[in-house]
């Protein structure tokens, strides 16, 4: 089925997906603007409670009647071996003092929210569901299937793609090394799963029968055309949408992206305990050489939350996670509908024919 535009079957005009971007970035306004412009918008639900998920759906549905994707983290809880927490707490205490915050407190590990979030997703009935960090537990994929909701899983290697297909997904997001934010890796080591996007698409295509979506470092219509020419059925772009005015990106984060003149992104575990790509900043540098004291995901993520929120409020990019992909220098600050119009026109210039 590779090469077939599976999105068209769902009623989506263009083979372009706006990536789900957790933490309030892919707002209902952004998602709806993308959907209304003929691409597929994705609500990021991984950091939301079930009530918040239903609420975001309601808000988005009020702005658009087009098909929607929603996304959860299906796995990644690796907090079984927590190192000595004192070095991280003392390092963070210094940062908290700079930001005028009370000293950090070690959070208790909350239960994996996936099962509760998933019930809310089923209630909200998105037209498509995507996930990353693993494979949904139990009969989740079966329940989606019974409701006619296609599921899209994230792979960073051929082995992961094969496993996702076996588990019953309808499409695979091939997340290449260039991608912004967290790596979806769930089988091998993170280091051995850093495959450039187009190489990954090339490798996954002959290994599976389901459609493959290219994701990572794609910023313009030429990049998209190249991915489609290789056999990808669609593309998923994150960083390209981060500076649209409809995105919830804090001002300091926006400025950091728009002032990037070279690819200053690095892979870091500093903010969340899980490898993710973002613009290098003070906090990443502060943890350089101290990687052993970083707590596992999601503890480190919870622990750094007040620092990140305070930094965002203060317009301080030093202590904010500035997730971005390697195409960051090519981000364009235009409304989502305009961006999609530009992407489509560039795709046409690059030879993509739309029926
Ligand atoms: C700020 C940000 C947040 C992201 N959050 C999620 C998420 O919640 N779920 C997910 O499946 N992917 C998430 N991603 C990864 C995207 O799905 C996609 O793989 C990535 O953005 C592609 O690389 P690009 O940013 O270079 O386009 C995120 C990406 C960014 C940039």
């Amino acid at each position: 089925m590779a090469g077939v535009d599976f999105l068209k079957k769902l009623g989506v005009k263009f083979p372009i997906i706006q990536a789900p971007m957790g933490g309030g970035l892919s707002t209902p306004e952004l998602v709806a603007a993308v959907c209304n412009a003929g691409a597929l918008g994705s609500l990021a639900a991984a950091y939301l409670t079930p009530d918040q998920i239903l609420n975001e759906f309601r808000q988005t549905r009020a702005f658009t009647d087009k098909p929607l994707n929603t996304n959860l983290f299906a796995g990644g809880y690796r907090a079984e071996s927590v190192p000595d927490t004192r070095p991280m707490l003392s390092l963070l205490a210094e940062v908290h003092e700079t930001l005028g915050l009370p000293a950090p407190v070690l959070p208790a590990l909350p239960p994996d929210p996936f099962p509760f979030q998933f019930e809310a997703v089923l209630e909200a009935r998105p037209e498509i569901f995507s996930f990353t960090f693993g494979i949904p537990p139990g009969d989740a994929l079966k329940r989606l299937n019974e409701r006619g909701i296609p599921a899209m899983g994230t792979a960073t290697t051929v082995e992961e793609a094969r496993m996702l297909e076996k588990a019953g997904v309808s499409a695979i997001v091939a997340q290449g090394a260039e991608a912004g934010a967290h790596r979806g890796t769930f089988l091998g080591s993170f280091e051995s799963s850093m495959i450039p996007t187009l190489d990954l698409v090339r490798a996954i295509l002959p290994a599976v029968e389901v459609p493959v979506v290219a994701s990572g470092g794609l910023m313009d219509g030429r990049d998209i055309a190249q991915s489609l020419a290789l056999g990808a059925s669609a593309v998923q772009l994150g960083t390209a949408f981060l500076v649209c005015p409809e995105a919830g990106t804090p001002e300091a984060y926006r400025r950091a992206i728009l002032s990037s003149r070279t690819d200053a992104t690095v892979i870091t575990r500093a903010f969340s305990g899980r490898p993710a790509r973002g613009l290098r900043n003070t906090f990443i540098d502060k943890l350089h050489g101290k990687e052993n004291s970083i707590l596992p995901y999601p503890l480190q993520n919870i622990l750094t939350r007040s620092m990140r929120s305070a930094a965002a409020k203060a317009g301080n990019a030093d202590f904010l996670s500035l997730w971005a992909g390697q195409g960051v220098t090519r981000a364009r600050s235009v409304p989502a509908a305009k961006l999609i119009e530009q992407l489509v026109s560039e795709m046409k210039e690059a030879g993509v024919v739309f029926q």
Side-chain angles (χ1 to χ4, degrees):
M1 271 249 290
V4 172
D5 180 359
F6 72 105
L7 292 179
K8 210 165 230 167
K9 285 197 206 135
L10 286 179
V12 180
K13 197 166 162 199
F14 303 121
I16 302 172
I17 305 172
Q18 159 257 312
M21 294 185 283
L25 302 171
S26 44
T27 57
E29 290 78 5
L30 175 68
V31 176
V34 168
C35 294
N36 288 335
L40 180 69
S42 309
L43 278 175
Y47 297 128
L48 303 180
T49 63
D51 280 347
Q52 288 170 329
I53 293 175
L54 292 171
N55 208 19
E56 288 230 343
F57 258 90
R58 242 173 262 126
Q59 286 182 42
T60 314
R61 297 271 195 219
F63 301 135
T64 186
D65 57 0
K66 299 280 189 298
L68 285 184
N69 174 39
T70 194
N71 171 274
L72 289 177
F73 295 163
Y77 263 52
R78 292 217 178 92
E80 58 279 350
S81 60
V82 179
D84 179 3
T85 56
R86 283 169 299 186
M88 184 49 60
L89 284 170
S90 101
L91 187 147
L92 266 180
E94 276 173 42
V95 179
H96 275 215
E97 207 173 315
T98 320
L99 294 170
L101 290 172
V105 181
L106 186 69
L109 180 68
D112 184 351
F114 181 90
F116 314 104
Q117 294 170 322
F118 186 67
E119 295 306 320
V121 166
L122 289 184
E123 195 182 328
R125 284 193 163 267
E127 282 72 17
I128 183 162
F129 170 75
S130 71
F131 57 90
T132 186
F133 296 3
I135 296 182
D139 59 358
L141 289 177
K142 188 168 154 255
R143 292 176 71 197
L144 287 165
N145 202 14
E146 284 163 3
R147 287 162 177 78
I149 302 172
M152 205 160 49
T154 307
T156 59
T157 61
V158 173
E159 291 70 32
E160 289 172 353
R162 283 207 182 98
M163 193 180 245
L164 285 164
E165 183 177 54
K166 220 166 156 193
V169 299
S170 302
I172 288 165
V173 177
Q175 188 192 43
E178 300 93 325
H182 288 110
R183 308 285 311 141
T185 302
F186 63 94
L187 271 187
S189 71
F190 285 98
E191 292 77 8
S192 65
S193 308
M194 294 297 287
I195 305 162
T197 303
L198 296 187
D199 289 341
L200 184 63
V201 169
R202 250 186 228 110
I204 290 179
L205 276 169
V208 299
E209 290 190 2
V210 292
V212 175
V213 176
S215 187
L218 309 176
M219 300 300 287
D220 59 31
R222 267 175 78 108
D223 295 343
I224 300 175
Q226 241 184 326
S227 307
L228 300 182
L230 274 182
S233 297
V235 292
Q236 178 162 298
L237 280 58
T239 305
F241 287 98
L242 271 176
V243 285
C244 290
E246 299 94 334
T249 316
E251 223 22 69
Y253 186 177
R254 235 173 242 278
R255 273 199 307 274
I257 292 177
L258 290 173
S259 59
S260 292
R261 293 289 168 265
T262 55
D263 165 24
T265 66
V266 290
I267 297 280
T268 182
R269 290 197 306 120
F271 289 101
S272 70
R274 192 182 165 96
R277 185 180 291 285
L279 293 169
R280 191 175 152 191
N281 66 357
T282 305
F283 189 65
I284 294 175
D285 287 347
K286 212 172 164 62
L287 265 65
H288 188 69
K290 300 184 178 127
E291 286 78 9
N292 287 342
S293 46
I294 298 176
L295 309 188
Y297 181 88
L299 282 180
Q300 182 78 4
N301 198 46
I302 302 169
L303 187 62
T304 63
R305 191 165 286 149
S306 27
M307 170 187 81
R308 289 179 281 128
S309 307
K313 258 193 212 132
N316 180 345
D318 291 345
F319 300 106
L320 197 52
S321 45
L322 305 170
W323 303 140
Q326 289 193 297
V328 63
T329 58
R330 295 188 287 141
R332 300 176 259 196
S333 179
V334 292
K338 181 84 195 158
L339 178 60
I340 288 165
E341 194 188 307
Q342 286 176 343
L343 293 174
V344 169
S345 131
E346 290 161 355
M347 286 163 74
K348 284 182 184 155
E349 271 170 40
V352 176
V353 179
F354 291 93
Q355 274 112 29

